[in-house]
Amino acid sequence: MTILWIKALHIFFMVAWMSGLFYLPRLMVYHAQTDVQAVKDQFKIMERRLWYFVTPFALLTLVFGMWLISLYGKEWFVAAKWLHLKLTLVTVLYVYHFYLLVLVKRFAIDQNKHSPRFFRFLNEAPVLFVLAIIILAIVKFL
């Protein structure tokens, strides 16, 4: 029974984290489109707060995921080839998460170097990673 609670919390925190990761680059699209300083300043606040709000969800996703792996055991981990690919994709999402912090900090000092189109791509690309991760976790085809 415990493992089901841990899975449920892992999934909940992952969904909360992904919600933030999908929304933050969308804010950046709008931020990159404006020339009004008061609007830029408001976006800076929103971007910073959102990044710091979702970061604990990223950490809790990791904690509950690692807890699950430890409960299933070393032999299961070695045999679960699908999980190795999933963890690789998850690692890319954590890199993406911290890259968003770099962008938040650049916006904070008015040093954005990217177009709204760049941020649109940045907003949409992680969806494919999340889809692949979910398929691997549910179907376990490797």
Side-chain angles (χ1 to χ4, degrees):
M1 187 61 135
T2 302
I3 202 160
L4 295 178
W5 281 103
I6 296 168
K7 276 185 187 182
L9 290 170
H10 175 66
I11 292 167
F12 169 77
F13 289 119
M14 182 273 304
V15 169
W17 177 36
M18 289 305 110
S19 296
L21 286 189
F22 295 154
Y23 187 53
L24 183 55
R26 179 54 49 187
L27 288 175
M28 292 175 177
V29 169
Y30 302 136
H31 191 160
Q33 287 176 330
T34 188
D35 292 325
V36 179
Q37 191 60 45
V39 175
K40 287 182 178 186
D41 292 342
Q42 186 62 44
F43 279 123
K44 291 175 190 181
I45 293 167
M46 293 168 68
E47 291 158 356
R48 185 186 72 246
R49 286 182 179 172
L50 181 58
W51 193 89
Y52 283 105
F53 179 74
V54 300
T55 297
F57 299 143
L59 296 173
L60 288 166
T61 300
L62 180 63
V63 166
F64 284 103
M66 298 307 288
W67 193 357
L68 282 170
I69 290 170
S70 71
L71 288 175
Y72 278 108
K74 182 180 178 183
E75 291 172 8
W76 173 84
F77 178 75
V78 170
K81 301 299 181 200
W82 65 270
L83 182 60
H84 301 180
L85 180 54
K86 177 190 172 204
L87 292 174
T88 300
L89 295 173
V90 168
T91 300
V92 171
L93 286 179
Y94 278 98
V95 170
Y96 173 80
H97 179 92
F98 286 98
Y99 177 62
L100 290 177
L101 177 61
V102 170
L103 296 174
V104 165
K105 289 183 175 189
R106 285 185 189 160
F107 271 118
I109 58 173
D110 295 318
Q111 295 294 315
N112 172 43
K113 299 176 184 176
H114 300 292
S115 69
R117 176 178 235 154
F118 171 81
F119 292 110
R120 279 190 187 92
F121 172 77
L122 202 63
N123 180 228
E124 296 162 2
V127 172
L128 299 175
F129 282 85
V130 173
L131 175 62
I133 289 166
I134 290 171
I135 289 171
L136 287 166
I138 301 298
V139 179
K140 298 174 177 60
F141 64 83
L142 292 178

